[in-house]
Amino acid sequence: LFQLSVPLNFLGSVYRELRQSLLDMETLFNLQKVNVAVKDKPDAKPLLLSSGEIKFENVTFGYRPDRPILKNLTVTIPAGKKIAVVGPSGCGKSTILRLLFRYYDVQEGRILVDGQDIRDVSLESLRKAIGVVPQDTPLFNSSIRHNIHYGNLEASQDEVYSAAKKAHIHETIERFPDGYDTMVGERGMMISGGEKQRLAVSRLILKDPPLLFFDEATSALDTHTEQALLSHINSILKEKKRTSVFIAHRLRTIYDCDVIIVLRAGQVAESGTHEQLIDRGGLYSELWSAQETLFSDNGEQVVGEDTMVTEETK
Ligand code: ATP
């Protein structure tokens, strides 16, 4: 009996682990509302990453084909650079990230990563290459530890702690009732939006993907914590020469990017560095001056986002 129960136990634990990871994928997919209509081609190959260049070539896309959000968009995101996508609310910034992750396929044109059309590569290899800190981070009904560890299940516990430290959340976690074993998610402890964002950054640091996307990733943090976290993210990006895309309303968080792409009505209105765009005196410089006047002397934003220009109000 003993001889039989050992392998059965072993199989049981493998089964439980497999089931847990499948459940996690399901949770993540449900939480991120993934369109399951997008599937691998039968001959899909793994994505071969070299430098990490991303290209949108004449991309047209709408959630409903009769209402295009991106219109014949052509953009190059150079390898190893830090790019920002800014523009009025609803102009399609997050849509660009969803297309890159292949939650949806483009209606016209193509998206290339290191020269490969993303529809030709396997979804698994594409998504493995990308790390996202989304606007609202999905949390699993599990411990804080697992929520960070999920970024890379092969990482050691020390690496989990180190990632949390880099994301400026380690000390906060240690103050939680059960530390890293505190349960979060729907049935667990409520944590703040800023804590969730820092957990997402820890998860990303642990995953260490070649392509990194930040979608309003630090918007729930106070200015001080945001600056500290951004400077840490910047040093990681620089050291590893990662390609990264930042989406942000608060231009102060992205003005140091190598290229700033300003979208309007699904097309590139203008692009360049902060200085070039300010000199140009176009939409970016308008948004910049509007936001600067919203800041009080101590650098805190004093008026909310309701003063934002939106696609509808234009
Ligand atoms: P914000 O700055 O407000 O986050 P955004 O520029 O990131 O906006 P997107 O989220 O890309 O804008 O959305 C672009 C447009 O597409 C919006 O009009 C939005 O309402 C619409 N949209 C977004 N997601 C969907 C969806 N799943 N189905 C239908 N329409 C959608």
Side-chain angles (χ1 to χ4, degrees):
L1 184 68
F2 176 72
Q3 272 175 337
L4 189 66
S5 75
V6 172
L8 279 182
N9 278 340
F10 172 70
L11 277 181
S13 78
V14 168
Y15 171 75
R16 270 190 301 278
E17 249 174 54
L18 194 66
R19 216 181 114 73
Q20 182 61 41
S21 65
L22 289 176
L23 281 179
D24 285 349
M25 291 304 284
E26 267 169 35
T27 328
L28 196 66
F29 280 175
N30 285 337
L31 290 169
Q32 296 188 342
K33 295 190 189 65
V34 170
N35 176 3
V36 286
V38 173
K39 286 202 171 78
D40 273 351
K41 279 188 180 173
D43 58 346
K45 296 177 204 56
L47 173 68
L48 293 177
L49 268 165
S50 46
S51 55
E53 183 199 63
I54 302 169
K55 267 190 177 172
F56 276 61
E57 281 183 358
N58 306 103
V59 167
T60 296
F61 171 79
Y63 296 92
R64 285 192 349 224
D66 57 336
R67 194 180 161 244
I69 304 291
L70 302 179
K71 296 166 197 155
N72 199 21
L73 181 76
T74 296
V75 170
T76 298
I77 298 171
K81 299 285 184 205
K82 194 178 154 197
I83 307 298
V85 180
V86 304
S89 183
C91 69
K93 301 180 293 293
S94 305
T95 302
I96 288 187
L97 296 190
R98 287 183 209 123
L99 290 178
L100 268 166
F101 231 80
R102 247 194 108 204
Y103 287 161
Y104 302 91
D105 275 332
V106 300
Q107 271 122 23
E108 279 168 46
R110 53 186 196 156
I111 301 172
L112 304 170
V113 174
D114 282 337
Q116 300 146 85
D117 189 320
I118 60 170
R119 287 169 297 193
D120 295 336
V121 304
S122 72
L123 281 170
E124 193 199 351
S125 65
L126 176 71
R127 291 181 183 160
K128 217 167 146 183
I130 302 174
V132 192
V133 183
Q135 286 181 18
D136 191 18
T137 304
L139 286 183
F140 304 121
N141 291 318
S142 181
S143 63
I144 296 258
R145 186 189 306 283
H146 180 70
N147 270 284
I148 300 176
H149 209 179
Y150 185 77
N152 174 8
L153 291 170
E154 282 160 26
S156 69
Q157 290 305 320
D158 278 348
E159 285 168 321
V160 170
Y161 300 140
S162 155
K165 280 178 192 158
K166 287 180 184 157
H168 296 263
I169 181 101
H170 176 72
E171 284 171 21
T172 311
I173 298 173
E174 297 231 292
R175 283 196 298 270
F176 287 158
D178 296 315
Y180 277 82
D181 297 315
T182 306
M183 299 298 281
V184 288
E186 279 163 29
R187 293 187 288 277
M189 195 179 91
M190 291 288 288
I191 65 169
S192 76
E195 285 160 356
K196 265 185 166 183
Q197 290 188 331
R198 283 176 288 163
L199 276 187
V201 173
S202 323
R203 197 185 278 170
L204 188 75
I205 290 174
L206 207 60
K207 180 172 176 179
D208 192 22
L211 310 172
L212 295 100
F213 303 151
F214 300 87
D215 189 354
E216 298 284 351
T218 55
S219 55
L221 300 175
D222 62 82
T223 312
H224 178 73
T225 315
E226 180 174 51
Q227 287 310 326
L229 184 55
L230 281 174
S231 91
H232 209 95
I233 292 173
N234 281 340
S235 66
I236 295 173
L237 293 175
K238 232 184 189 157
E239 180 197 329
K240 304 205 166 183
K241 297 204 176 56
R242 297 295 195 217
T243 307
S244 57
V245 182
F246 286 77
I247 288 179
H249 278 303
R250 288 192 282 176
L251 302 181
R252 277 193 171 208
T253 61
I254 55 90
Y255 78 98
D256 61 341
C257 282
D258 298 308
V259 184
I260 299 166
I261 294 165
V262 186
L263 277 193
R264 179 167 46 192
Q267 289 179 318
V268 178
E270 51 190 13
S271 69
T273 61
H274 172 79
E275 283 73 25
Q276 287 165 344
L277 291 171
I278 292 290
D279 285 350
R280 201 171 178 273
L283 180 58
Y284 179 86
S285 95
E286 245 174 68
L287 290 172
W288 179 263
S289 346
Q291 290 190 7
E292 283 304 282
T293 55
L294 298 180
F295 280 86
S296 66
D297 291 343
N298 63 10
E300 293 291 338
Q301 198 162 3
V302 288
V303 187
E305 280 183 4
D306 37 348
T307 45
M308 293 280 314
V309 185
T310 68
E311 284 291 320
E312 282 73 31
T313 54
K314 282 196 293 88

